[in-house]
Amino acid sequence: MAAANPYSPLLDEIPVERHEVAVLGGTTAYWVYGPADADVTIVAVHGFRGEHHGLEPVVAHLAGIRVVSPDLPGFGETGPVPGRTHDLDLYAQWLTDFAAAVAPGAVILGHSFGSIVVAAAVAGGLETPRVILVNPIGAPALEGPRGVLTRLAVFYYWAGARLPHRVGEALLRNGLIVRAMSVSMAKTRDPGIRRFVHDQHDTYFSRFADRDVLHDAFLASVSHDVREFAPRIGQPTLLVAAQRDDITPIEAERRLATMFPDAELIEIPDVGHLIHYETPAPAAAAITRFLAPSGADTR
C-alpha cells in the first residue's frame, strides 16, 4: 500500500498535463504544471535515478508559476536517445534542445545531478534569464562526507553493468538496496514524510531504461560537478543548499556560491540531499522570492 503523499492537497489544486516532444531523435515525456498564462515558466530537471515525480512537492508550493518537468532520457517515461552514450554532453545537448522546443526563454532549475546538467547546458549557451540549483553538486562526490559510500556506489554500478544481464539488472533494481539508499539520505524525523520518501524511492528509483544508460548517467554524475561551469554562468543564480547534505557539505556549497559571477545561496537547516521531499516549502519560498523582483525578465 502506497504511503500517503503529504503534499497531495496542494498538488491537487494545480492543473497538470502530460506531453511528448521529439528531441535528438528520441521522444521526451514531460509534464506541465500550473496556469498556461503564468508570468514565469520554469523548466525543472530532476536528479539521478529519479524522474519528474520527485520534484512535485516543490511544484506543489509554486502556485501561480508554470513548471515544465521532463523525464531525463533513459529514465521514467522517456526512452534513451538512440545510438548515443548518455554522458554529460548528451544530457546538456538534450536539455538545450528540449528547452528551445518546449519553453524557450524559461528559467532553468536543476536538482542534484540535474544541477550538473543545467550548469553544463547554461555554460554551453542555453538561453535563460535565471538559473536555480537545488542541492547542487558543488564538489566531487568522491570527496564528500560519505566518500566511502560513494566509492561503494561506484563498485555497485560497475558490477551491475558487468555482471550477466539478468543478474546485473536484478542487482541494480534490488529493493533492499534502494531502501538502504533512501534510509541513508533521509534526515527528517517526521514518520509520515519518511514513509513518503521511502515509498517514492521504492516506486520510482528503478524506472530506468536499462543498466547501460544507468551506468553512463552514474559516471556522468560522479565525474563532474557544478564548479567547472560556474564561472561561465553569468545569469543571476540561486543555490538552495542543505546544511546536512552528505553528498556536498555546506562548506563546499558556500565556496561554490563565490564561483558564480552573480549567485545567491540559501541554506536550509535540518535537511540533507532530499530538500525536494523533506523541505519543499522553504525551497519554493526561496525560489518565489528569487523570481519575484524581476518577473518581467523571467518569462
Side-chain angles (χ1 to χ4, degrees):
M1 180 171 151
N5 183 340
Y7 310 111
S8 285
L10 289 174
L11 199 60
D12 290 345
E13 296 297 317
I14 299 175
V16 57
E17 295 181 351
R18 182 190 184 280
H19 299 272
E20 293 183 350
V21 64
V23 183
L24 297 181
T27 300
T28 294
Y30 68 98
W31 287 256
V32 180
Y33 302 83
D37 60 351
D39 289 335
V40 178
T41 295
I42 296 174
V43 171
V45 183
H46 64 77
F48 176 69
R49 280 192 76 149
E51 42 132 89
H52 73 281
H53 284 100
L55 293 174
E56 284 190 334
V58 178
V59 172
H61 292 85
L62 290 173
I65 294 177
R66 181 172 176 261
V67 179
V68 177
S69 187
D71 283 347
L72 284 167
F75 295 90
E77 296 183 30
T78 297
V81 173
R84 294 285 298 271
T85 298
H86 286 64
D87 54 17
L88 184 58
D89 287 343
L90 176 280
Y91 281 113
Q93 181 185 355
W94 163 84
L95 176 58
T96 300
D97 290 0
F98 172 81
V102 172
V107 173
I108 308 295
L109 178 153
H111 171 258
S112 189
F113 174 54
S115 74
I116 304 175
V117 174
V118 166
V122 174
L126 169 58
E127 294 186 4
T128 179
R130 290 175 179 255
V131 177
I132 301 166
L133 305 179
V134 181
N135 283 123
I137 307 300
L142 294 176
E143 297 176 9
R146 294 196 176 185
V148 172
L149 290 181
T150 304
R151 287 177 174 80
L152 288 175
V154 170
F155 175 75
Y156 168 69
Y157 287 106
W158 176 86
R162 296 295 187 274
L163 289 168
H165 186 270
R166 177 181 288 184
V167 178
E169 287 275 341
L171 175 67
L172 294 170
R173 300 181 195 273
N174 183 277
L176 291 177
I177 295 176
V178 169
R179 176 56 64 91
M181 293 178 184
S182 186
V183 170
S184 72
M185 289 189 290
K187 303 299 183 186
T188 180
R189 296 180 181 178
D190 185 310
I193 295 180
R194 287 188 73 89
R195 284 192 295 270
F196 170 68
V197 167
H198 298 331
D199 182 69
Q200 288 282 294
H201 287 143
D202 290 348
T203 304
Y204 301 117
F205 224 48
S206 294
R207 296 187 66 197
F208 53 88
D210 57 56
R211 63 179 185 169
D212 294 328
V213 167
L214 186 66
H215 186 248
D216 286 349
F218 175 74
L219 289 180
S221 74
V222 298
S223 302
H224 301 274
D225 61 75
V226 176
R227 296 177 308 168
E228 63 190 277
F229 307 107
R232 290 185 281 143
I233 298 175
Q235 295 89 336
T237 300
L238 174 67
L239 309 180
V240 183
Q243 290 185 350
R244 299 178 62 195
D245 197 331
D246 291 320
I247 294 179
T248 302
I250 193 62
E251 294 80 7
E253 302 286 32
R254 292 166 183 162
R255 288 193 296 273
L256 175 65
T258 68
M259 299 178 185
F260 289 85
D262 182 4
E264 173 187 357
L265 173 65
I266 297 295
E267 299 182 15
I268 301 181
D270 301 320
V271 66
H273 202 65
L274 303 181
I275 283 175
H276 58 310
Y277 284 141
E278 297 183 12
T279 58
I287 291 167
T288 301
R289 287 193 301 271
F290 176 67
L291 297 178
S294 305
D297 68 4
T298 59
R299 292 175 187 266

